Amino acid sequence: MIHEETNNIPDILKKESTLDEEINYSLRPQRLSEYIGQEKVVETLKIAIEAALKRTESLDHILFNGPPGLGKTTLAHIISTEMGTRIITSSGPALEKGGDLIGILTHLEKSDILFIDEIHRLPKIVEEFLYPAMEDFAVDFIFDKGAHARTHRYRLEPFTLIGATTRAGLLSSPLRERFGITRDLDFYGEDDLVRIVERSSAILDLPTDKEGAYEIARRSRGTPRVANRLLKRVRDFAQVRAQGKITREVAMQALSLEGIDKIGLGETDRKLLKTIIYNYKGGPVGIEALASTLQIESDVLLDVVEPYLLKTGFVIRTSQGRKSTEKAYRHLNIQCKDDLNLFENNKNKDRS
């Protein structure tokens, strides 16, 4: 089980509750044996955990990279459970000063796990405190300034840092090289997502047939978090409109009401594609221009919207910017030349 935080831990550490009652309501797996998908990552972790337990040592530091919702946080908590240690969670933006990180590090006990989400957003001054902590299990304090400056090295208990990032390219080389295990999480296939939907349905005590689970899975953007979110929305629809059972027809009606099409594109995805096609004649267009046109933060487009569109081949990146593909035109039922010419003619009429 995940241990409760002790009273002597600073408030900054109390980012995530570990009460057993919350675990019962969670759809997240608690053990590697329950984890679905990412087989190579899971196998690597099983070996590393078993070896560390045999040696009674801490795990190597671990870095998980991948789009949001693929299981980085879940894996961190599973590792904590498998190792029988506490997990302390924080995030890159929350650690604004070196003192914030030092306060966490000095309260860690032997073999504790420190999980930092969005680790690529750590301020540089905070990141530099991590280097000796990760390599030598120590932090260096500097007293006074100038000619009277003195340093003191404070020894830490051996711990494991697990970092999660959606943009590994933004990590500095010194930080990235200090992780002993680095794994990329990829989008899930439909078969794995069906199993996830069926597992979550069982936890929620929700009757779901195979075709209903498949319909939810195929619209889940290859992402377990999205699958579970859509399942909950379909559950609401089924309980109000369909006697509580999820079938293919019920799932289709519920997800159409949510604006999710048959391959998982939502309103924002379609707006982005149409903006590239109509406003920028299919591209190329820079991400900042798209963000300004759509009135959406560029980080949201980069981390949340774009990865799936790139994966499915609706958008491609070029040195000049993003371009829509023929697949996007076909999916949106847009005839490239005719529709664009009609759009330009209508714009010209409006101007006149």
Side-chain angles (χ1 to χ4, degrees):
M1 62 175 285
I2 299 174
H3 296 268
E4 291 187 24
E5 310 294 352
T6 54
N7 292 330
N8 64 339
I9 295 177
D11 289 341
I12 192 172
L13 305 186
K14 299 176 183 178
K15 292 287 184 183
E16 195 156 318
S17 175
T18 55
L19 298 175
D20 290 341
E21 291 83 1
E22 291 193 4
I23 293 176
N24 292 334
Y25 290 106
S26 175
L27 298 178
R28 287 177 173 171
Q30 305 300 318
R31 294 280 182 179
L32 284 175
S33 58
E34 302 171 10
Y35 195 90
I36 298 170
Q38 311 290 351
E39 286 83 4
K40 290 184 178 179
V41 175
V42 170
E43 190 62 27
T44 299
L45 293 177
K46 283 181 179 177
I47 293 170
I49 289 170
E50 185 175 345
L53 289 174
K54 283 184 178 179
R55 295 192 302 265
T56 64
E57 294 178 357
S58 299
L59 270 175
D60 273 348
H61 304 301
I62 303 171
L63 178 66
F64 292 128
N65 172 51
L70 295 185
K72 298 184 290 294
T73 301
T74 298
L75 282 171
H77 282 272
I78 287 175
I79 292 168
S80 168
T81 303
E82 297 283 358
M83 291 292 295
T85 61
R86 297 184 312 163
I87 181 168
I88 311 302
T89 67
S90 190
S91 67
L95 300 171
E96 298 178 349
K97 300 174 292 186
D100 296 336
L101 179 63
I102 290 174
I104 295 176
L105 293 174
T106 54
H107 281 84
L108 293 177
E109 299 172 4
K110 185 178 181 181
S111 297
D112 276 354
I113 290 172
L114 172 60
F115 175 63
I116 301 180
D117 199 8
E118 298 183 271
I119 194 169
H120 61 275
R121 295 178 62 185
L122 276 177
K124 186 66 177 176
I125 190 170
V126 177
E127 182 180 310
E128 288 175 354
F129 279 102
L130 271 180
Y131 299 159
M134 294 174 70
E135 206 159 33
D136 303 322
F137 299 115
V139 288
D140 296 319
F141 294 92
I142 300 177
F143 301 96
D144 298 326
K145 294 182 179 180
H148 301 288
R150 294 173 293 120
T151 62
H152 172 71
R153 171 156 283 204
Y154 182 92
R155 290 291 173 184
L156 303 172
E157 293 288 351
F159 71 96
T160 298
L161 174 65
I162 300 180
T165 177
T166 56
R167 299 165 73 180
L170 296 184
L171 285 176
S172 67
S173 294
L175 179 59
R176 187 166 50 244
E177 290 167 0
R178 283 172 168 79
F179 286 98
I181 301 172
T182 302
R183 288 294 176 269
D184 295 330
L185 274 61
D186 201 359
F187 288 105
Y188 282 60
E190 286 181 355
D191 290 343
D192 285 336
L193 287 170
V194 169
R195 291 168 58 201
I196 289 170
V197 171
E198 290 176 335
R199 176 184 178 275
S200 298
S201 296
I203 293 173
L204 295 171
D205 194 22
L206 182 62
T208 305
D209 66 20
K210 191 78 175 180
E211 290 185 348
Y214 172 75
E215 195 62 37
I216 295 171
R218 70 191 288 234
R219 301 181 187 225
S220 297
R221 304 169 66 88
T223 307
R225 182 184 297 164
V226 174
N228 287 327
R229 177 172 60 82
L230 295 183
L231 175 64
K232 291 178 180 179
R233 299 289 66 77
V234 176
R235 174 186 62 174
D236 294 345
F237 183 90
Q239 289 176 343
V240 173
R241 301 277 180 87
Q243 292 78 50
K245 183 177 180 180
I246 296 179
T247 63
R248 181 173 181 270
E249 187 64 30
V250 169
M252 289 176 65
Q253 291 179 28
L255 295 175
S256 294
L257 194 63
E258 291 288 320
I260 308 297
D261 67 22
K262 62 183 180 181
I263 61 169
L265 299 191
E267 293 295 337
T268 302
D269 303 297
R270 291 190 289 272
K271 281 182 182 178
L272 184 142
L273 292 175
K274 288 179 179 178
T275 297
I276 296 175
I277 292 170
Y278 287 129
N279 293 45
Y280 298 98
K281 299 183 179 180
V285 54
I287 194 68
E288 293 299 335
L290 279 174
S292 298
T293 304
L294 293 167
Q295 294 295 294
I296 297 174
E297 292 290 333
S298 58
D299 284 347
V300 175
L301 294 181
L302 284 168
D303 296 339
V304 180
V305 181
E306 189 181 64
Y308 185 67
L309 295 178
L310 290 169
K311 175 73 174 180
T312 51
F314 286 105
V315 171
I316 58 173
R317 282 182 182 173
T318 70
S319 56
Q320 290 82 32
R322 278 70 178 166
K323 293 181 68 174
S324 58
T325 63
E326 289 184 16
K327 187 176 180 180
Y329 284 88
R330 290 196 301 270
H331 181 72
L332 297 173
N333 199 25
I334 296 173
Q335 299 295 324
C336 301
K337 292 182 179 179
D338 294 342
D339 280 26
L340 286 175
N341 288 336
L342 177 62
F343 180 76
E344 287 296 327
N345 292 335
N346 288 338
K347 276 205 309 186
N348 293 333
K349 285 180 183 178
D350 291 340
R351 287 172 184 165
S352 61

